């Protein structure tokens, strides 16, 4: 089965009222875990790679790993998505590399630390949409800056995250501005700011509506019902994995993530793509620490990697099931990207809807 465009996959999710987890990948074990979980649950897959992942693994390695995953699981639709593209040039490189979807994060300047002006965000995102739609690749934009409503700070993951303290208006996406942004750029999906942030340290207590603005999703969705909403920073930071890490020598401070049931509420309000990286990192780290402590005589790293893969697989199965993805893969037939391409890129008519 060929790669699927994000647009086609999320159109299906919208039509049937479910959400798709987008898991970050850096290496073979993570890809194995996600694909095994998708196979076990018959779920469509979004594998996303950040610039940090491409630096870590090397771009040809990542591409080949994804090709191998598709070859081994030919019945599963797989979207290969670039997470947090810092510039049109970065997005173009991903498209050349064969990604079926790119994120242009124009909420931050190219350094991915300095909050950008609205005009800059519109300009760079529009440019990426023009290029991507000409070849059937989908585009995710971002409006508002990810960051904590408790502290006003963004946190940082793989070099991405606003520096300094942000005011509340930047930390919550405005529905009216979202409608204007989508009209000006033609994005297929929009990442919104509702108080989530990247990494393990999202909330200093179990979040309530004051620090996790799930209700805002419905008002944004009402203004842009045809644009798929994306929740970044959506790891749930499982307390049980934090306990395993601490019991085996790790030092993770008290912290809370986005509860799965809040994400499910978000999906009911229009979220279609849910970004998850940290949960897989925590589960793999916990499993490796435990395996090393339990088997001090073991010297084959594959034993630890196998434990890590199984732990990541457990996270992925649980998210596929909770978000309503299970049982959907066999109902989707990916269209070739060429069939989705706009005929006149300069006209910027937007991606044609999948049949
Ligand atoms: P987490 O750090 O919550 O897993 O978020 C990942 C993410 O949003 C990647 O873009």
């Amino acid at each position: 089965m060929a790669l699927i465009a994000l647009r086609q996959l999320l159109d299906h999710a919208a039509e049937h009222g479910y959400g798709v987890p987008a898991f970050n990948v850096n290496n073979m074990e993570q890809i194995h875990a996600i694909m095994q979980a998708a196979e076990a649950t018959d779920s469509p897959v979004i594998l996303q790679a950040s610039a940090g992942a491409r630096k870590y693994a090397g771009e040809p390695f990542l591409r080949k790993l994804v090709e191998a995953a598709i070859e081994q699981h030919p019945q599963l639709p797989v979207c290969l998505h670039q997470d947090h593209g810092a510039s049109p040039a970065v997005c173009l490189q991903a498209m050349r590399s064969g990604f079926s979807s790119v994120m242009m994060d124009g909420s931050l300047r190219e350094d991915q630390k300095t909050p950008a002006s609205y005009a800059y965000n519109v300009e760079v995102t529009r440019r990426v949409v023009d290029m991507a739609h000409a070849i059937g690749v989908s585009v995710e934009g971002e409006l508002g800056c990810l960051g904590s409503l408790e502290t006003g700070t963004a946190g940082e993951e793989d070099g991405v995250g606003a520096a300094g303290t942000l005011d509340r208006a930047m930390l919550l996406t405005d529905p009216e501005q979202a409608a204007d942004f989508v009209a000006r750029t033609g994005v297929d999906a929009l990442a919104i700011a509702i108080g989530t942030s990247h990494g393990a340290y999202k909330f200093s207590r179990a979040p309530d509506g004051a620090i996790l603005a799930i209700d805002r999703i419905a008002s944004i969705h009402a203004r842009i019902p045809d644009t798929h909403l994306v929740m970044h920073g959506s790891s749930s930071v499982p307390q049980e994995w934090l306990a395993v890490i601490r019991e085996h020598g790790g030092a993770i401070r008290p912290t809370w993530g986005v509860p799965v049931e809040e994400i499910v509420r978000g999906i009911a309000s229009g979220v279609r793509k849910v970004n998850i990286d940290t949960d897989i990192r925590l589960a793999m780290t916990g499993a490796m620490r435990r395996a090393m402590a339990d088997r001090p005589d073991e010297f084959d790293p594959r034993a630890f990697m196998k434990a890590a893969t199984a732990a990541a697989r457990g996270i992925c199965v649980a998210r596929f099931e909770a978000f309503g993805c299970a049982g959907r893969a066999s109902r989707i037939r990916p269209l070739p990207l060429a069939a989705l391409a706009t005929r006149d890129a300069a006209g910027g008519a937007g991606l044609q809807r999948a049949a």
Side-chain angles (χ1 to χ4, degrees):
M1 185 173 281
L3 286 175
I4 189 168
L6 186 72
R7 177 89 220 192
Q8 191 197 349
L9 176 52
L10 298 190
D11 279 353
H12 189 268
E15 194 180 335
H16 299 279
Y18 65 96
V20 187
F23 296 115
N24 286 76
V25 294
N26 301 269
N27 62 20
M28 182 186 77
E29 284 74 15
Q30 291 170 335
I31 295 176
H32 276 172
I34 297 159
M35 298 306 295
Q36 289 165 9
E39 174 105 36
T41 56
D42 186 30
S43 299
V45 178
I46 301 173
L47 300 176
Q48 58 183 11
S50 64
R54 302 223 290 272
K55 214 188 262 172
Y56 172 77
E59 198 220 273
F61 274 91
L62 266 185
R63 180 162 23 95
K64 296 287 179 194
L65 284 171
V66 173
E67 275 174 28
I70 291 171
E71 196 179 311
Q72 280 208 338
H73 304 268
Q75 75 290 9
L76 296 176
V78 177
C79 172
L80 177 56
H81 174 80
Q82 176 201 259
D83 196 21
H84 291 286
S87 65
V90 170
C91 294
L92 198 54
Q93 283 157 13
M95 290 184 236
R96 189 187 54 189
S97 178
F99 283 55
S100 57
S101 177
V102 293
M103 175 187 192
M104 175 65 236
D105 182 358
S107 72
L108 301 173
R109 303 281 307 190
E110 198 166 338
D111 63 6
Q112 291 289 286
K113 291 189 187 336
T114 314
S117 70
Y118 180 65
Y120 169 90
N121 194 356
V122 168
E123 216 272 307
V124 290
T125 307
R126 174 78 245 173
R127 265 168 45 206
V128 172
V129 169
D130 282 347
M131 291 188 288
H133 283 186
I135 56 170
V137 168
S138 313
V139 180
E140 174 184 333
E142 175 163 325
L143 186 63
C145 286
L146 290 188
S148 161
L149 291 166
E150 283 184 280
T151 63
T153 55
E156 195 228 80
E157 188 181 57
D158 280 355
V160 177
T165 308
L166 303 167
D167 64 46
R168 206 177 159 80
M170 289 168 102
L171 292 168
L172 286 172
T173 301
D174 174 54
E176 289 311 313
Q177 196 177 49
D180 186 69
F181 186 78
V182 167
R184 285 172 193 266
T185 61
V187 287
D188 303 288
L190 184 67
I192 53 171
I194 55 167
T196 65
S197 52
H198 292 138
Y201 298 103
K202 302 183 192 305
F203 305 110
S204 68
R205 58 183 165 87
D208 56 21
I211 55 176
L212 175 59
I214 293 290
D215 290 346
R216 175 143 313 217
I217 295 167
S219 43
I220 299 171
H221 181 56
R223 290 293 285 115
I224 48 170
D226 296 330
T227 305
H228 303 302
L229 302 184
V230 182
M231 272 175 74
H232 279 243
S234 292
S235 277
S236 303
V237 188
Q239 295 297 317
E240 58 275 23
W241 278 116
L242 297 185
V244 172
I245 291 173
R246 291 179 188 126
E247 275 158 28
H248 297 94
I252 306 272
R253 302 193 306 272
T255 179
W256 281 263
V258 184
V260 170
E261 54 279 15
E262 292 300 319
I263 299 172
V264 170
R265 276 184 63 215
I267 291 169
S269 303
V271 165
R272 299 291 158 230
K273 173 172 178 278
V274 183
N275 285 14
I276 295 171
D277 184 357
T278 298
D279 281 355
I280 287 181
R281 294 181 180 202
L282 290 170
M284 292 180 89
T285 296
M288 284 193 286
R289 280 188 179 277
R290 184 166 59 192
M292 285 186 187
D294 288 353
R295 297 160 66 180
D297 59 334
E298 179 62 72
F299 61 88
D300 184 344
R302 288 176 298 184
F304 310 129
M305 295 307 225
K306 271 190 202 164
T309 302
R313 187 169 61 231
I315 293 279
C316 298
V317 166
R319 300 298 179 272
F320 280 133
E321 286 176 346
F323 300 169
C325 251
R328 309 286 184 178
S330 49
R331 289 157 200 268
I332 303 170
R333 271 193 311 115
L335 296 166
L337 296 188
L340 299 166
T342 48
R343 257 179 298 244
D344 178 8
L351 193 61
Q352 285 168 10
R353 288 306 192 86

